[in-house]
Every structure is written in structure tokens, then in C-alpha cells.
Amino acid sequence: MQKLGAEFIGTFWLVLGGCGSAVLAAAFPGVGIGLHGVSLAFGLTVLTMAYAIGHISGCHLNPAVSVGLWLGGRFPAKDLPGYIVAQVLGAIAAGGVLYLIASGKAGFDVAGGFASNGYAEHSPGGYSLVAALVTEVVLTALFLVVILGATDARAPAGFAPIAIGLCLTLIHLISIPVTNTSVNPARSTGVALYVGDWAVAQLWLFWVAPIVGAALGAGMYRVIGRK
């Protein structure tokens, strides 16, 4: 239960910090943080929680990461369902808190997207389903390579949270224009449920693509990182 509680809190922080920065601060008049600030916010949520709960649960915060670590031989299959449920519930709870905050402003409407992920007409840059699929698969695969490499027993100790946090920042810098960046099914679910409609209809891609990408990343690291 300590591990599941840590995953719940950690994923709550990721969604509140990352999606919260997108909803509340990205376009704030005069001092909006924009794409760069949102990218950094997502990276900082992982970096801070990795130091806070990494020693408790491993700080996955992401069903795709949990699946990738399992396939990479770093995580037991028996713990996978509990981790995924805790992550999704944490994301939904954060989405609820963010909704309560955001709806305190006159004129707020979830129809604006509420930091949801999307493709085609719901892609920030108008990118197609295929472009979104390729982006999410490839970036999640490389995210897993970084995670597995940075946490390898042969890697420099104590620096994994920095590498992983910066990797997630870079991923957002690349892919916010394409999909608004998922690489995390829990993060996508946590806000899509409050938007409903198109966000829920397109949610399948942001479960399938990250998990496929995580499997590919785990396979790649098994090859290049073999002892």
C-alpha cells in the first residue's frame, strides 16, 4: 500500500503540475510560460517526485513506464495491475482538482481542451493520426531507453532523476505541437474524462501508442544494455 500510495501521489503531482501549467499558466496575459514553460513543468514534476518517492515505489507515474520496466526485467508482473490503477486514479484526482481551480475563472470551458491530447483537428498543430501515432510510439520508446539506462546499476548513482526529468522536458519540446504530448496513458486519461466527447473518443491512441513504445524501448535496452 505504501508503494501504491506513492504512485497515486506522484501521478497526481505530475498531472497537476504539468497539465496545470498548461491550463493555468501557458497563456496567462503578459507572462504566459508557453510551450517551453509547460515542457519544463512536466520535467520538474518527474524530477522532484523521483527524489521524493523513487526509493518507495520506483516513481513510475505512468502505466507505459510500468509495462516497460516489467518487460525490461526490472518490475514484477504481479505488481503491474495495482500500479496502473493507482496511477490512473491519481491522474483523475489531479484532473478533478485542476477542474475546480480552472472553473473558478469566469468564462472557463473544457471545450478549450483542458490540456487533453489529440490528433487531426484536435492536434495543436493539426497533425494526422499517423503522425501522432509515430510520435507517441517513438518518443515513449526512447523515454524507456533513458529510464532503463539511467537506473542501470552501472550508471552514475544519484543522477537518474535529472536525466529522466530532462528527457521528459525534451519530449514535450518536440511533441506538444503534434499531440500536446502524452507518452503517459494516465496523464491523458486524467484530463480527457473531464472534457469527454472527442478527448475520450481519441484516448485509445494515448494508451496504445505509449505502451507499444514502451515495449519497443524495453526491447532496445535489452539488446544494447546486455551485461
Side-chain angles (χ1 to χ4, degrees):
M1 291 305 298
Q2 286 178 307
K3 292 180 179 181
L4 298 184
E7 286 296 305
F8 178 95
I9 292 169
T11 311
F12 180 98
W13 182 231
L14 183 146
V15 173
L16 184 64
C19 295
S21 70
V23 172
L24 304 174
F28 192 78
V31 291
I33 63 175
L35 181 153
H36 301 94
V38 173
S39 300
L40 182 60
F42 270 101
L44 288 174
T45 63
V46 171
L47 190 155
T48 52
M49 272 297 159
Y51 281 116
I53 66 168
H55 56 286
I56 300 172
S57 67
C59 191
H60 299 187
L61 317 185
N62 182 338
V65 169
S66 295
V67 169
L69 290 174
W70 164 56
L71 292 172
R74 303 277 190 89
F75 186 65
K78 66 181 178 62
D79 291 342
L80 198 55
Y83 265 55
I84 292 174
V85 169
Q87 291 156 2
V88 172
L89 290 178
I92 293 171
V97 170
L98 180 57
Y99 181 86
L100 288 174
I101 296 169
S103 60
K105 180 181 179 180
F108 168 73
D109 187 356
V110 291
F114 198 52
S116 291
N117 303 114
Y119 54 84
E121 66 270 27
H122 300 294
S123 158
Y127 288 85
S128 69
L129 185 157
V130 172
L133 182 67
V134 171
T135 298
E136 292 289 327
V137 168
V138 171
L139 293 182
T140 309
L142 294 173
F143 191 33
L144 261 293
V145 171
V146 171
I147 291 170
L148 289 165
T151 57
D152 193 302
R154 296 166 293 175
F159 292 99
I162 298 171
I164 295 167
L166 288 176
C167 180
L168 189 60
T169 298
L170 176 58
I171 285 170
H172 279 78
L173 289 171
I174 296 168
S175 60
I176 283 178
V178 184
T179 62
N180 218 18
T181 310
S182 173
V183 302
N184 184 338
R187 168 263 187 270
S188 298
T189 303
V191 289
L193 294 183
Y194 295 92
V195 177
D197 192 27
W198 65 266
V200 172
Q202 295 192 352
L203 186 58
W204 67 270
L205 186 142
F206 303 105
W207 274 87
V208 172
I211 288 174
V212 170
L216 291 174
M220 285 191 286
Y221 195 76
R222 277 188 174 272
V223 173
I224 66 171
R226 185 182 296 117
K227 297 179 182 180

